[in-house]
Amino acid sequence: MIVSKIKIKGKKLYLLAATVIIGLVIQSCFEQPVIVEMPASVKAGENFTIKVKTSLLEVTAPKAGQPRMIIGFLAPKAWDIRKNAVITYESDYDGLGVTQTMTIVPDDQRATVGAEFVDEYANLSWPEVMLKRSGLGGNLKPDVEWVAFWSKPYTVFKGMISNPINVTINVKAGPQNTLVKLGVVVSLTLNTITDGNVNPYKNVFSECFEVTNGTRPLVDFCNPQLTATVPIQGTADDVITIDYDLNIRPVPQLIGTNVYLNARAVTVDDVRINSTSRPLFTRFTDKTGRIEFWPRQLFKLGKGTQLSHIEYFLTNAATATPGEPAVGPNPNDLTEPFFYKIGCE
Amino acid sequence: MSMINNILLKALVCISIIIIMTGVMTSCKTERLKIQPESVKDITGTWKVVKAVRNGSAIFNADGLNVNYGVDYAGFRVNFNSDKTFKLSNNIPFVQNSNGTFSLDNQDYTTLITLKGEGEVPVTANFNYPFAVGKRQLIINFNSGCFRNTYQYTLEKTTE
C-alpha cells in the first residue's frame, strides 16, 4: 500500500498526516497517456485529429463529490481553442463505442489539489495549474495556452479500473504558418495534484507539428532562433534587447564583422516607419552580439503613434547598400523579417 | 491493520499539536507600533541613474562594466527643482518622457511620486528614499505601460 512508504520527518508532519487522511478516502491515478494518432502537419485553417489513449487505475469510490475527467490541451493562443476544438472520449464506464463530448471548464472553477500542494496551487484555475505544472511543453515562446475541458460528472469512477479511455481531439489549425509542440493533460476533479503513485495528473506532448500554406511570418515555437528578444513582448516605451547567435544558424556575411540592426516600426494603421539610423550591435564574439533600443527614440515616434509590431533584419552594412545581406528568421525566404510584437497580453 | 492504527495515532498527534498551537498563537496581545515621524524628503537637485533593473534583471550598473548597448543610462539626468518642476536630459525610458511638474504624496512616509510631463497624463510611481553607501538614493519603480514590464531605477545625486 502506498501510504506505508511515507517516512514522517519533523516539519512535514502536519502535511503528511493530512495527506494520509485524504489518501485513505480517494486513490486514483491515470496511466501515462500516449498519443496514438496525429498527423505531422496540416494546412492552415484545416481540421485535424489527435487520438490519445490512457486508463484510470486504482480507483476507490470517493465518499463525496462527483468526479469529472479533465483534459487539458496546449496549443497556440492564435488557434482560439475554446472555439475551434472539440474533445470527445469513450470509456468502458459508459461502454466503448459510446462517445461523450467534453465541455470547457468554466473560468471561475478552481482546480482541486492534494493537501501537500495546497500552498503552491491554492485558488488556481485548471489552465493556471496546467501552466504551472506542465509549463509550455518545450515550446520556446509563451504565446501558447492551456485550455481545460471536462466530462460530465460521474457518481463514482469505480468500474473504470485498468480500462482504456480513448480521447479524440478534433481541432482547427490557425491561419498562420506555425511550428509548435501540442500538449495534452489528463486529470480528475478530485484530489488531483498529489505526488508519488497517487497521481491522477499526467501529461504528454507531441513532436514539433507544422502548419503549412498559411500566412507569414512563420511562428516557430520549436527551434531556437537566430535572435532572441527581451522582454518577449513590450511597448514603444520599453528597453528592448536583441541578442544574435550565429552558432544557431551560421550566416557567413555576418560572422566576424560589424552587424547592424535594420528596423522598421509598423503602426496599427499599417504605416511603416523606417529607422533613420542603423544601430551597431556590441559584439561579444565573432558570432554573438547584443543591442538595446528604445523604440520611441529609434523610430522618433510621436505621442499618439500606436505600434502594432517591429520588423527587423540583421545586416553588415551601416547604410542602405545594394546587394547587402538582409538576414531574417527564414533561410528559405530572405524577404521575411524578424517580427517583434508590440502589446501587453 | 497495525499500519492503519499507526497512521491514526500520527494523525491524532498532529491534531493535538494543532490545537495547542492555536491556543498559543491566539493568546498573544496585539502590540501597537510606535510611529516615529520621518524626516522631510528633499529631492531637489540633479540625479543620475546608477542602476537599472528590468523585470528583475539588471540592465545597467554604474559600478559594473558600465556597458552601453545602445541606451545611454549613464548620460541620463533628471533635475528636481524647488519650484516642483522637473527637467530631463539625454532621455531614456522613464516615468515621463517630457519635462513637467512633480509632487510627493505627503512629506511623511512618502512612497509615491507623481510626475506630470507637459501635455501628458500624470503618472504616479512607487518611490523609496534610502540612505545607502553613505549617500541618499532615490529608487523609482514604474512600468512601461505594460504592467508585465517593470523597471526600477536607482538614482544618486550628481554635480556632473
Side-chain angles (χ1 to χ4, degrees):
Chain A
M1 203 165 150
I2 294 140
V3 286
S4 65
K5 293 176 188 168
I6 296 171
K7 287 180 186 168
I8 295 183
K9 287 181 193 169
K11 288 179 182 176
K12 292 183 175 173
L13 196 64
Y14 294 145
L15 283 177
L16 285 171
T19 309
V20 166
I21 291 163
I22 292 170
L24 287 173
V25 179
I26 310 151
Q27 283 176 30
S28 53
C29 133
F30 277 105
E31 197 175 84
Q32 175 60 41
V34 179
I35 295 175
V36 290
E37 195 182 308
M38 181 178 169
S41 71
V42 70
K43 285 183 181 169
E46 287 189 358
N47 281 60
F48 67 101
T49 299
I50 303 169
K51 289 191 174 173
V52 178
K53 193 170 181 176
T54 184
S55 352
L56 193 58
L57 307 172
E58 294 181 43
V59 180
T60 305
K63 287 181 175 165
Q66 296 198 315
R68 296 172 187 253
M69 181 169 70
I70 295 272
I71 297 288
F73 185 51
L74 178 76
K77 287 179 184 169
W79 290 17
D80 200 0
I81 289 307
R82 286 159 182 274
K83 288 184 189 153
N84 293 313
V86 176
I87 301 188
T88 58
Y89 66 96
E90 54 177 273
S91 73
D92 257 6
Y93 188 81
D94 295 297
L96 285 173
V98 178
T99 301
Q100 306 284 342
T101 303
M102 304 187 88
T103 53
I104 300 214
V105 179
D107 290 341
D108 59 359
Q109 182 70 34
R110 301 297 93 180
T112 41
V113 296
E116 76 268 45
F117 283 106
V118 161
D119 287 346
E120 200 180 342
Y121 294 97
N123 209 28
L124 296 183
S125 68
W126 277 102
E128 286 166 340
V129 165
M130 289 166 189
L131 182 61
K132 207 162 173 178
R133 201 164 155 84
S134 303
L136 303 177
N139 290 297
L140 301 174
K141 294 178 186 176
D143 293 339
V144 287
E145 65 177 343
W146 285 102
V147 179
F149 293 73
W150 64 9
S151 69
K152 65 183 182 181
Y154 285 87
T155 312
V156 289
F157 265 64
K158 204 168 185 175
M160 290 177 75
I161 298 172
S162 295
N163 288 338
I165 302 172
N166 298 319
V167 178
T168 303
I169 302 169
N170 191 275
V171 54
K172 183 180 169 188
Q176 201 164 358
N177 290 335
T178 307
L179 287 167
V180 65
K181 293 174 183 173
L182 303 175
V184 175
V185 160
V186 296
S187 194
L188 271 186
T189 58
L190 283 173
N191 189 24
T192 292
I193 295 167
T194 59
D195 223 344
N197 295 326
V198 190
N199 186 3
Y201 180 104
K202 293 277 165 63
N203 56 37
V204 62
F205 297 97
S206 76
E207 299 291 308
C208 195
F209 175 78
E210 187 170 18
V211 179
T212 60
N213 293 58
T215 56
R216 297 195 321 183
L218 169 71
V219 186
D220 187 348
F221 292 96
C222 299
N223 303 300
Q225 301 295 297
L226 186 56
T227 63
T229 48
V230 181
I232 285 159
Q233 211 177 85
T235 70
D237 285 313
D238 269 296
V239 173
I240 296 170
T241 305
I242 301 177
D243 281 304
Y244 72 84
D245 185 351
L246 296 164
N247 294 302
I248 288 167
R249 200 179 102 215
V251 181
Q253 299 106 309
L254 299 184
I255 295 173
T257 184
N258 280 347
V259 174
Y260 299 88
L261 181 75
N262 179 10
R264 59 181 177 246
V266 181
T267 71
V268 289
D269 307 318
D270 211 25
V271 175
R272 280 163 165 67
I273 304 168
N274 285 304
S275 122
T276 49
S277 65
R278 290 185 171 189
L280 174 66
F281 280 82
T282 300
R283 249 191 294 158
F284 299 135
T285 68
D286 277 354
K287 291 183 174 177
T288 58
R290 172 176 297 173
I291 209 164
E292 279 177 3
F293 65 99
W294 174 21
R296 182 169 303 285
Q297 187 175 56
L298 181 64
F299 301 110
K300 298 182 168 56
L301 300 178
K303 241 189 333 189
T305 311
Q306 297 264 320
L307 295 187
S308 145
H309 63 274
I310 293 168
E311 296 176 351
Y312 64 94
F313 291 103
L314 306 185
T315 176
N316 59 16
T319 56
T321 311
E324 65 169 303
V327 178
N330 189 348
N332 302 320
D333 182 352
L334 299 178
T335 63
E336 186 175 323
F338 289 106
F339 187 95
Y340 185 83
K341 190 173 179 191
I342 296 290
C344 182
E345 282 165 14
Chain B
M1 284 317 284
S2 67
M3 193 187 57
I4 302 257
N5 285 340
N6 194 18
I7 289 158
L8 289 174
L9 185 66
K10 282 169 184 167
L12 196 65
V13 169
C14 264
I15 290 163
S16 307
I17 292 171
I18 289 166
I19 291 167
I20 293 164
M21 286 302 289
T22 310
V24 170
M25 285 160 78
T26 53
S27 66
C28 295
K29 278 185 186 173
T30 308
E31 195 167 296
R32 295 190 187 284
L33 286 171
K34 285 184 179 170
I35 295 166
Q36 299 290 338
E38 280 208 357
S39 57
V40 171
K41 293 180 178 66
D42 178 14
I43 63 164
T44 55
T46 303
W47 298 79
K48 65 176 180 182
V49 175
V50 293
K51 190 177 180 190
V53 172
R54 177 186 59 198
N55 295 340
S57 302
I59 46 175
F60 171 73
N61 195 335
D63 295 336
L65 291 171
N66 194 2
V67 180
N68 177 350
Y69 295 110
V71 176
D72 186 12
Y73 300 98
F76 171 76
R77 294 290 181 274
V78 52
N79 279 67
F80 291 107
N81 302 312
S82 52
D83 63 358
K84 300 292 179 193
T85 61
F86 70 91
K87 187 169 176 288
L88 306 171
S89 55
N90 295 322
N91 283 25
I92 56 175
F94 195 55
V95 184
Q96 288 282 359
N97 296 324
S98 59
N99 301 335
T101 57
F102 74 95
S103 62
L104 307 180
D105 73 338
N106 89 50
Q107 290 296 325
D108 294 336
Y109 325 113
T110 302
T111 53
L112 298 174
I113 184 170
T114 300
L115 299 182
K116 186 186 179 307
E118 205 173 309
E120 301 281 351
V121 179
V123 177
T124 300
N126 179 297
F127 146 53
N128 294 310
Y129 195 59
F131 194 76
V133 290
K135 294 170 191 169
R136 272 290 174 196
Q137 290 187 326
L138 189 57
I139 301 178
I140 295 186
N141 296 285
F142 62 99
N143 67 48
S144 63
C146 176
F147 66 96
R148 284 186 206 285
N149 294 336
T150 58
Y151 293 80
Q152 182 182 76
Y153 290 173
T154 303
L155 305 162
E156 283 178 8
K157 274 191 185 171
T158 178
T159 51
E160 293 164 31

